[in-house]
Amino acid sequence: MKFQVQYPNGTGHEVELQGTVAILGRDPSCDLVLNDVKCSRRHAVVEAGPQGLAIRDTGSANGVFLNGKKVERSSLNEGDVVRLGDVMLTVLTEEMPGTLVMGPEELQATDAVPKPAQPLAARPPAGPAAVPLVAARPAAGRMRKTETVPPRPRPVIPPRLDAEAQRPLTLTVLGILWMISVVLYPAAGLVIARASAGIAAVAAAVLGVVLAVLSGVMAFGLWTRRAWARAAQIAVAALGLLLCPFTLASAAVLAYMLRPSTSAHFSGGRPAGTPRPDAAELTFTGLIMGTVVLGVILAGAAVFFLRASSTSLPPR
């Protein structure tokens, strides 16, 4: 089978794959190496069977698109365009020599025709028996790649890029909560500033802005999985244990951030051998969201109770 490989920067080349199975992806051990950061290490598999060619998604992060439609498994025909990440693969026509097929009747008829006898003097001298030539076929198994144009040097890609699309759900939720805090802290500072006067009002407004900036930094650090963001989140969760409304939420966040599997995501991406999101990921996500909502309700109830108590006290 032959493919036209087209990269987003306009470069491309043709490749010819032989055999029955070929692995396509960014890993150097693949049969067709795709130099694109949006391609997974083992993105898809092309299989050749009795029904023709077929492509199958092997659990890639960005999926396989055939003629603009996302597919899990589909057959391939001449002219089909497959998109893996930002790389476009076009199925080309595979030139094959014609084959003459003769039936049993034709073979018998050929054998029945007498051949003219050759004079002994005209016969060529005896030599070694001719050995029939048999076209070498590739052994069944993985396909071998034959490139018609030498590929460009493959850039060294950091391991982190392979795990960018596999950000844990709990880290995503924490990043979103910090993003929401970017808006809530200045709003709370303004409300307190309007209820206060003098230096207290200015201090409340400034504190709200400072906390908003810190929240934005934390959201960026957790979203991009920086090592310092994990340490900062652990410190914030430890301080949050002292806040009664958010003690449970802080404890849940602290327990999640101290997990070895969570630490692996802050050390350059998911290491080899670490499974994809484990069953405890959804548990931690639900637990953190539930305790945060509970903390907000308790904090609101405490503020309402204090205001009601202050209004019910008789003036001195």
Side-chain angles (χ1 to χ4, degrees):
M1 72 194 70
K2 296 177 65 176
F3 292 94
Q4 173 69 34
V5 183
Q6 190 74 25
Y7 289 97
N9 59 2
T11 61
H13 59 273
E14 291 185 5
V15 297
E16 183 175 356
L17 303 177
Q18 301 174 351
T20 58
V21 178
I23 302 175
L24 284 61
R26 195 160 49 83
D27 193 281
S29 64
C30 292
D31 300 288
L32 177 56
V33 181
L34 304 176
N35 300 323
D36 183 68
V37 297
K38 293 186 179 180
C39 292
S40 299
R41 291 187 179 276
R42 292 176 176 267
H43 200 107
V45 170
V46 176
E47 301 170 327
Q51 305 300 326
L53 294 180
I55 190 167
R56 172 170 53 87
D57 191 347
T58 56
S60 63
N62 294 321
V64 175
F65 292 83
L66 176 60
N67 298 326
K69 183 179 178 181
K70 188 174 183 180
V71 297
E72 294 295 330
R73 180 184 175 89
S74 179
S75 59
L76 294 178
N77 299 310
E78 177 186 349
D80 285 346
V81 178
V82 180
R83 180 167 65 86
L84 308 178
D86 286 336
V87 180
M88 309 297 291
L89 303 179
T90 304
V91 183
L92 302 179
T93 303
E94 187 174 5
E95 299 180 359
M96 299 182 63
T99 303
L100 178 62
V101 180
M102 301 181 64
E105 297 81 1
E106 296 172 335
L107 291 175
Q108 294 176 0
T110 304
D111 295 338
V113 177
K115 297 181 180 180
Q118 221 179 14
L120 294 177
R123 293 182 183 178
V131 180
L133 298 179
V134 181
R137 297 183 180 180
R142 293 180 54 178
M143 298 181 182
R144 296 190 299 271
K145 178 183 67 174
T146 304
E147 297 187 356
T148 57
V149 178
R152 294 176 178 270
R154 295 192 293 269
V156 178
I157 301 173
R160 172 178 289 276
L161 295 176
D162 184 55
E164 282 297 331
Q166 300 169 0
R167 182 184 301 104
L169 178 61
T170 307
L171 288 182
T172 303
V173 170
L174 289 175
I176 293 175
L177 290 177
W178 280 109
M179 292 178 190
I180 296 174
S181 300
V182 173
V183 180
L184 292 181
Y185 279 128
L190 291 177
V191 171
I192 297 175
R194 292 185 60 181
S196 306
I199 299 178
V202 176
V206 172
L207 182 60
V209 174
V210 171
L211 291 177
V213 173
L214 293 178
S215 298
V217 172
M218 285 297 301
F220 169 78
L222 290 176
W223 197 266
T224 56
R225 286 173 286 172
R226 308 289 180 176
W228 56 263
R230 176 174 176 267
Q233 182 62 78
I234 291 175
V236 172
L239 292 176
L241 294 175
L242 304 178
L243 300 177
C244 294
F246 295 97
T247 299
L248 294 178
S250 299
V253 172
L254 191 61
Y256 176 75
M257 298 302 293
L258 292 177
R259 297 173 70 225
S261 58
T262 303
S263 176
H265 287 280
F266 289 90
S267 58
R270 183 171 57 87
T274 303
R276 295 183 182 273
D278 53 318
E281 190 69 37
L282 290 177
T283 303
F284 273 102
T285 301
L287 182 61
I288 291 174
M289 293 182 64
T291 51
V292 168
V293 172
L294 178 62
V296 172
I297 295 175
L298 293 177
V303 172
F304 177 79
F305 177 76
L306 292 176
R307 293 187 62 180
S309 300
S310 61
T311 55
S312 62
L313 292 176
R316 295 184 180 180

